[in-house]
Amino acid sequence: MSVAARALATPPRYDNRRPVATASTELDLTDTGRLPAELDGCFVRIGPNPLGGARPAHSLVGDGMAHGVRLRAGRALWYRNRWIRTDRVARALGELPLPGPRHGLSDNAGGNLIRHGGRLLALGEAGVLPVELDGHLDSVARVDFDGTLPHGFAAHAQCDPVTGELFAVAYYHELPYVEHLVISPEGRVRRCDRIEVTGPPLMHSLALTDRHSVLFDLPVVFDPRLARAGSRFPYAWSAGRPARLGLLPRRAPGDVRWFEVDPCYVFHPVNAYEVDDRCVVDVIRYDRVFDRDLHSPGESPPTLWRWTLD
């Protein structure tokens, strides 16, 4: 097995962590330009937004806030922003905690938003359970896919637009493996593959081709020393730990085929596809993260990168 790689581009850097101080509803919106009349839905985003206004100590923590703009018939009908009701946020706002199960050291589902199985779900890192949001972005409950989720979930799941299945890699620091999950279009886990790892690693996302799930087993791992020191996200660069990409067959369960690559880190894939006996994977690659700077992935610039796996 062999792997070829090359850099494609280097994007600029921005500071996007300034918090929004209040939750609001705006109904009297002014449109500039023209909105296509065919757009009928809600454009949503999410990110860390600490309640109280202080900038988070770590770029992957901070109370999650969802933002949405409702579009219909060529108009923007409303804008809303809402904090995800973690236990901490609910206490601070004098509200009851959300119903539903709990898993992991945190319930901060502030990393991503997806719609699957008829639900709008806020997702988080390191085994956090999804939080269901209603049509006005208010938090409804923590969910475990009707009791079918073995442990926690993941921040970035990928949906197959052909089958409607949702794919994710769930990691949790107490497990000696990660869980490759396949969720049915109806929203229930129908397959769970245990993949042995060391570390355990921070697996932020995965990529999909029509035949394989592409796994990123890279040298950012759980650090017990940071956990004992009180870090809200105790993951750090592990010098000397191998970096590898894995191809896991999607339809016929089998062993992962691993391809070693130079040490690096990937938060987000851009694309993946297969041509004959080659798998092409496009990603945003960092040379190193969470090493000298334990609070932000800013010590090396993100680069658009292509791996070709033979």
Side-chain angles (χ1 to χ4, degrees):
M1 295 181 288
S2 63
V3 55
R6 59 190 176 94
L8 302 182
T10 301
R13 296 170 62 183
Y14 300 98
D15 178 7
N16 64 349
R17 293 195 289 145
R18 289 171 293 182
V20 177
T22 59
S24 62
T25 299
E26 302 291 341
L27 302 178
D28 187 17
L29 302 181
T30 300
D31 299 334
T32 300
R34 185 183 68 85
L35 290 170
E38 295 82 4
L39 290 179
D40 185 358
C42 192
F43 175 75
V44 293
R45 69 171 300 275
I46 196 170
N49 193 88
L51 184 64
R55 179 173 293 193
H58 195 290
S59 59
L60 297 184
V61 303
D63 308 303
M65 175 176 274
H67 303 254
V69 177
R70 180 66 168 94
L71 305 177
R72 187 172 64 200
R75 295 186 57 235
L77 302 184
W78 53 253
Y79 161 82
R80 285 181 168 86
N81 63 311
R82 298 289 187 270
W83 274 285
I84 306 301
R85 267 23 182 204
T86 62
D87 289 347
R88 193 186 98 85
V89 168
R91 285 194 302 269
L93 297 178
E95 300 175 357
L96 294 175
L98 282 183
R102 177 74 182 266
H103 181 268
L105 300 177
S106 169
D107 62 346
N108 188 19
N112 191 21
L113 285 167
I114 64 169
R115 182 175 291 280
H116 190 73
R119 292 167 164 169
L120 177 61
L121 301 175
L123 308 181
E125 293 283 357
V128 170
L129 290 179
V131 173
E132 182 180 357
L133 308 183
D134 66 16
H136 289 165
L137 306 185
D138 292 317
S139 300
V140 176
R142 289 185 293 268
V143 300
D144 59 2
F145 300 115
D146 301 326
T148 63
L149 192 62
H151 297 95
F153 200 56
H156 284 274
Q158 303 285 350
C159 185
D160 184 328
V162 177
T163 67
E165 296 169 315
L166 190 68
F167 292 75
V169 175
Y171 68 95
Y172 183 56
H173 70 279
E174 292 184 356
L175 300 178
Y177 52 83
V178 297
E179 294 174 325
H180 173 262
L181 303 168
V182 184
I183 296 93
S184 72
E186 296 74 31
R188 295 173 64 86
V189 177
R190 70 164 190 82
R191 173 178 159 191
C192 176
D193 304 297
R194 292 185 176 184
I195 300 167
E196 300 294 328
V197 292
T198 58
L202 167 59
M203 283 197 181
H204 187 69
S205 58
L206 79 164
L208 287 182
T209 74
D210 57 344
R211 294 191 299 165
H212 293 93
S213 290
V214 184
L215 312 179
F216 304 100
D217 185 13
L218 305 172
V220 174
V221 300
F222 179 79
D223 190 326
R225 296 170 300 176
L226 294 177
R228 289 192 294 268
S231 171
R232 293 182 62 190
F233 196 76
Y235 286 80
W237 183 263
S238 177
R241 187 183 188 278
R244 57 184 187 167
L245 310 179
L247 294 183
L248 175 66
R250 283 182 42 180
R251 293 174 178 83
D255 294 335
V256 181
R257 296 180 62 195
W258 293 107
F259 298 76
E260 289 199 9
V261 296
D262 291 335
C264 64
Y265 193 74
V266 170
F267 287 101
H268 303 126
V270 178
N271 194 17
Y273 57 93
E274 299 189 34
V275 179
D276 299 327
D277 59 355
R278 293 173 296 138
C279 178
V280 179
V281 187
D282 295 336
V283 300
I284 305 298
R285 177 190 184 274
Y286 295 77
D287 286 338
R288 183 170 299 201
V289 296
F290 302 139
D291 183 15
R292 297 181 302 274
D293 183 352
L294 292 174
H295 303 111
S296 173
E299 56 196 89
S300 65
T303 304
L304 185 60
W305 198 268
R306 171 166 289 169
W307 279 302
T308 303
L309 310 179
D310 187 345

